[in-house]
Amino acid sequence: MISSLRGGQSRSIVIRAEAGMGKSALLDYLAERASGCRVARVVGVESEIELAYAGLHQLCAPLLDHLAALPQPQAAALGVALGLREGSAPDRFLIGLATLNLLSAAAADEPLLCLVDDAQWLDLASRQTLAFVARRLVAESVGLVFAVREPNHEREFAGVEDLVLEGLDGPDARRLLDSVLTGPIDTAIRDRIVAETHGNPLAITELPRGMTPAQIAGGFGLSPSPALDSRIEESYLRRIAALPEATRRMLVVASLEPVGDPVLVLSAAERIGVDADALAPAVHDGLLDIGVALRFRHPLMRSATLRAATPDQRGEAHRALAEATDPVTDPDRRAWHLAEATVGFDEDVAADLVRSARRAQARGGLAAGAAFHRRAVELTPDPGIRARRALMAAEDKYRAGAMSGALDLLQLADPAYLDDHQLARADLVRARVAHAITRGKDAPRLLLNAAEGLAPHDAEAALAIYSEAFGAAISSGTLAADVDLFDVAQAILSAPAPAPLGPISAAARNTLHALARLVVDGYPIAAPLLRASLDALRQALAAGHPVEDAGGAPPSGSTEPAGTTPSAEPAGTVGPPLHVLRRGLGHDTTDDDDLHWLALGCLVSRILSDDAAYDELTDLQLRLCREVGALSLLPMAMAERLSMLLWSGQVTAAVSLTDGIRPIIQATDNPPTLNRSLWLHSFRGDEPTALNIIEKPADEIVRRGEGQWLISLGFCSAVLFNALGRYSDAVAATDGVAGHPFDIGLAQWMLPERVEAAVRAGKLGVARASLDRLNEMAEASSTDWMLGVAARCAALVADGDEAEGLYLSALEVLGRTRAALAVARTHLVYGEWLRRANRRVEARDQLRIAHDMFGDMGVVGFAERARRELFATGETVHRRADALDDLTSQELQIAMLAAGGGTNPEIGAQLYLSPRTVEWHLRKVFTKLGISSRRQLAGALRKTGLTT
């Protein structure tokens, strides 16, 4: 560890062991040998586990002189989290990035070693933040060492290197035991102690304490308890019991003060009539160390102290600490101590806890807010107020990701004391918990019920829940229980017109109605409504211009959306350009609702096959999620953007983006299917990897209720099998889903794969049926992307001059789009048609273009198909080396961002790395590409077949 830091590298380690195995001793050992390094120490304390960012504050407080070096959004987020400034609750990933860069800045002059003891007792927000940092340290000269007591259920440190401590072996354990014995011991008794302690050093040294030589020699003092922790605690209990009463009372105060502030402990002790001299016996006996901080020699000493104390003594200590704590600078700890000192109901203390909950939420400490609310519920005497506070606590628990805790608190929210609005909020928590756990099944029904319950009380909130129900119904597909997409769509259309809405909500409502009409009335009727509503939504998002509300669903059969007029813009463009949207949703945006409706716009532009809108909106959505720190929405934004990158032929960028999705999905508990790795491998033609995913049993996905994944599976399988020339398999892959009512947003991509596969497999009836549906959609949408693909599919079915005319038309129309992969696919099938017509020279021209395009994109599977066709014309083409082999995915991502003009801090902010790590990766990129500066990057990437 020390060698790594001195050499400019970073390292993170989690030391895992049961109590007494030597974790703290190893941290001390490391600190003593860290010459030339700055050492920062943090200790997790069980009594502080509910206080948001308390552990992070311990670590960062001495380093805050470097806060000004951070980019402003990061400095602001960390300042709010640590209570240094006012502001809206920051996203925890932005806090993680800020902490990473703060540690990096602090290590600029000398390596920084951070030692975290009892990390399992850090508050959840601090654990999540420090684990985020630990997984991203590379080249900052920062070390993070966490000591975690086992067994425990924490999972935040997954992915960080583990060092597991085992007990001493027999000879060493016996030597250690002999060193603490005061007299002879029977060999059999010694062997029993060694065996039962499993070589645990603390147990070996502590168990004999407090026993007489006779007890030790005969083994009569050995506890029959099988729990090793309990045996060690029993040893401490005996030592504590031998101390004077004043010392024992002082120890109780010290055990409940988590920071170890000697001034605060002594001030609280004075309030219970104990002076500083009472500490001396505990220090003399080795229970406590006193320096800058007051510290128990081992965490089990703290727990033993609390175990030995009576409830009255603990209450007395909590009350004294509350009185000694400054109510202005530290109101939350004061409120918590008061609550712990209170028996029965106390509205004043409960009200203090509610205020602490709000402060915790403002800092982004959702789990802490839920804990304060939960304790407030227990202290609230009025049953009506208690029910409402239980509901608020349940909402906090859900937002903090504690699903079972949220449901437990709902049990305390007595429905008899809740009004209709509050009952609807309770239903919403149940629905969102169900969606988070199952990703389908019951979620559409529960969300729909919640939306209908909220509608009379909060129209804008209900609108967002209707949208959630629509998305959940798409996700669950045929696996939904009781309520499916058609039911949700009908409910949206029949919902009463709400009170006047804001411009964005009104435009979003029109868009949601258009989507519902798509489900109920079909594509030809819905397409004009979708186009006009998308235009209105983008205008509202961009400039906040008023948009007339539809006032209800347009009449069935209408082709115009109520309150709007058809767009006069050319097909393929919708709404204002990207720079206008950036101005409307710029750096000051902090509301996730706008991003929620932007996601709705991405879905509509995908359904319409509007490549310009889809490209701009997916890019904007991804940028804004990163800029405003809405990283809980990031996995879906990244998945949507990845689709556009694949269709536009930017496969190398898609590879990098896929790498970026994985850690975010892991950290946000999003479904793993969002990583879109199957899409990437299928489009590239990575046969073994893609088939491994395709052939994997879908039992878990079905159990969760992700029916939409089965449609994606069919589509990606068809893409892969068409690339490999396995056309019958491609037809079979789409048989169950090609005409499915739940393939919203995928039909325009699924149908062309099915037409091509069916023609090649000799199933012309299947091909024509799919072509009819595709033509119907293309005519209604009128976008170049869909019209061009439809023309290509029609050419596959046609013969002679008609087919050639359709191929040429498809190339012309698709050439006006950003769908470069669709263009290359058209050159390929046109070249194949020419070869079969014995027009070999012309076929070579088309196939060569296709082969070069696929090769430049990194689409290996279709490039190989084009190469085989060229060989059949008599032309030999060698397989191209894959340009991705030289650089790792992360190096490629950094290189492309740097070639595009990104600075190290900007790249680090996008990839959640420190600027020093970005620079370290760039040096490796320069070496591999044989260049020496950023100015040469773009040219070097182009030479390897990569685009920026």
Side-chain angles (χ1 to χ4, degrees), residues 462-483:
L463 184 66
I465 308 309
Y466 274 119
S467 178
E468 283 187 49
F470 191 86
I474 291 177
S475 175
S476 57
T478 55
L479 302 180
D482 301 327
V483 170

Side-chain angles (χ1 to χ4, degrees), residues 16-34:
R16 297 186 181 275
E18 64 184 18
M21 202 63 80
K23 302 181 297 296
S24 300
L26 274 182
L27 296 185
D28 292 341
Y29 178 91
L30 189 56
E32 291 167 5
R33 283 154 181 79

Side-chain angles (χ1 to χ4, degrees), residues 546-593:
V547 178
E548 284 190 34
D549 182 44
S556 180
S558 168
T559 58
E560 299 292 337
T564 60
T565 56
S567 173
E569 295 177 331
T573 61
V574 176
L578 179 58
H579 71 276
V580 176
L581 279 169
R582 276 208 190 92
R583 188 171 64 244
L585 288 172
H587 292 283
D588 295 332
T589 301
T590 57
D591 190 351
D592 285 354
D593 286 343

Side-chain angles (χ1 to χ4, degrees), residues 188-443:
I189 300 301
R190 183 180 64 178
D191 290 343
R192 178 187 165 191
I193 293 175
V194 169
E196 292 190 2
T197 59
H198 302 288
N200 183 298
L202 185 65
I204 292 170
T205 57
E206 289 296 329
L207 286 181
R209 287 178 181 261
M211 296 183 190
T212 66
Q215 286 176 316
I216 295 172
F220 304 117
L222 297 181
S223 167
S225 170
L228 189 59
D229 285 6
S230 297
R231 292 190 185 192
I232 300 173
E233 276 196 15
E234 290 291 342
S235 170
Y236 291 143
L237 285 171
R238 289 194 296 269
R239 295 166 63 183
I240 292 167
L243 296 172
E245 180 189 359
T247 303
R248 294 199 302 271
R249 293 172 70 196
M250 176 74 84
L251 283 177
V252 176
V253 174
S255 68
L256 293 172
E257 201 295 296
V259 178
D261 182 348
V263 175
L264 183 59
V265 170
L266 294 176
S267 175
E270 286 178 8
R271 286 168 165 77
I272 60 173
V274 177
D275 61 30
D277 292 341
L279 279 176
V283 173
H284 178 73
D285 194 44
L287 292 171
L288 284 177
D289 286 331
I290 298 181
V292 176
L294 188 152
R295 182 180 167 204
F296 282 88
R297 293 292 298 274
H298 192 276
L300 287 177
M301 296 177 185
R302 184 189 297 270
S303 58
T305 299
L306 291 176
R307 220 176 117 191
T310 66
D312 287 344
Q313 289 172 333
R314 290 195 294 270
E316 173 190 69
H318 274 299
R319 192 171 295 105
L321 283 166
E323 292 171 0
T325 300
D326 190 322
V328 176
T329 60
D330 205 353
D332 297 336
R333 279 197 182 91
R334 181 179 182 276
W336 191 258
H337 283 306
L338 277 176
E340 292 301 290
T342 302
V343 178
F345 296 132
D346 190 315
E347 176 56 30
D348 291 338
V349 176
D352 276 346
L353 289 169
V354 170
R355 285 188 283 272
S356 290
R358 290 170 182 160
R359 282 190 292 269
Q361 291 165 343
R363 296 194 300 272
L366 296 176
F372 282 122
H373 265 143
R374 172 66 186 254
R375 186 70 178 110
V377 170
E378 296 168 351
L379 297 178
T380 301
D382 183 276
I385 298 175
R386 188 187 314 131
R388 293 192 290 275
R389 285 174 175 167
L391 173 59
M392 289 189 293
E395 291 170 329
D396 291 344
K397 281 286 187 184
Y398 164 74
R399 286 192 289 268
M403 303 303 170
S404 60
L407 295 179
D408 289 344
L409 281 163
L410 284 180
Q411 298 298 317
L412 302 177
D414 189 339
Y417 295 97
L418 300 179
D419 60 27
D420 289 344
H421 184 197
Q422 291 157 349
L423 288 170
R425 286 165 52 196
D427 286 342
L428 178 59
V429 173
R430 292 187 185 94
R432 284 175 164 166
V433 168
H435 192 203
I437 293 173
T438 68
R439 301 295 174 184
K441 294 191 181 298
D442 294 322

Side-chain angles (χ1 to χ4, degrees), residues 449-725:
N449 290 343
E452 291 171 342
L454 280 173
H457 310 284
D458 190 337
E460 296 205 32
L463 184 66
I465 308 309
Y466 274 119
S467 178
E468 283 187 49
F470 191 86
I474 291 177
S475 175
S476 57
T478 55
L479 302 180
D482 301 327
V483 170
D484 63 14
L485 184 60
F486 188 81
D487 298 321
V488 174
Q490 284 188 313
I492 289 170
L493 294 173
S494 61
L501 297 170
I504 292 177
S505 294
R509 182 173 182 270
N510 286 343
T511 305
L512 194 56
H513 268 237
L515 284 166
R517 292 291 300 277
L518 172 64
V519 175
V520 173
D521 295 328
Y523 198 96
I525 290 175
L529 310 180
L530 289 166
R531 173 167 293 287
S533 64
L534 177 61
D535 179 48
L537 177 62
R538 295 185 70 207
Q539 292 287 356
L541 285 169
H545 293 160
V547 178
E548 284 190 34
D549 182 44
S556 180
S558 168
T559 58
E560 299 292 337
T564 60
T565 56
S567 173
E569 295 177 331
T573 61
V574 176
L578 179 58
H579 71 276
V580 176
L581 279 169
R582 276 208 190 92
R583 188 171 64 244
L585 288 172
H587 292 283
D588 295 332
T589 301
T590 57
D591 190 351
D592 285 354
D593 286 343
D594 286 355
L595 286 169
H596 179 81
W597 300 129
L598 186 56
L600 203 64
C602 290
L603 172 61
V604 173
S605 61
R606 170 156 51 93
I607 290 170
L608 292 171
S609 284
D610 189 321
D611 59 289
Y614 192 47
D615 188 18
E616 292 178 353
L617 288 174
T618 56
D619 178 60
L620 177 63
Q621 180 182 222
L622 182 55
R623 289 173 184 268
L624 287 176
C625 279
R626 286 169 165 160
E627 286 176 11
V628 306
L631 300 187
S632 58
L633 304 175
L634 189 56
M636 181 58 77
M638 296 172 90
E640 196 80 81
R641 180 60 183 163
L642 185 137
S643 299
M644 183 62 211
L645 290 175
L646 291 173
W647 282 115
S648 62
Q650 300 177 67
V651 177
T652 52
V655 171
S656 299
L657 191 60
T658 304
D659 270 2
I661 293 178
R662 293 189 190 102
I664 304 301
I665 286 175
Q666 181 183 23
T668 55
D669 291 330
N670 274 275
T673 46
L674 268 183
N675 68 25
R676 293 287 170 94
S677 60
L678 176 58
W679 288 61
L680 176 66
H681 296 305
S682 297
F683 272 68
R684 290 195 67 217
D686 298 335
E687 182 178 0
T689 310
L691 287 178
N692 183 53
I693 300 172
I694 290 169
E695 294 169 358
K696 222 180 248 184
D699 296 348
E700 176 62 19
I701 294 168
V702 172
R703 186 193 66 78
R704 287 198 304 263
E706 290 184 80
Q708 180 75 356
W709 167 250
L710 302 178
I711 297 172
S712 294
L713 189 66
F715 165 64
C716 291
S717 299
V719 171
L720 177 69
F721 293 143
N722 277 333
L724 300 176

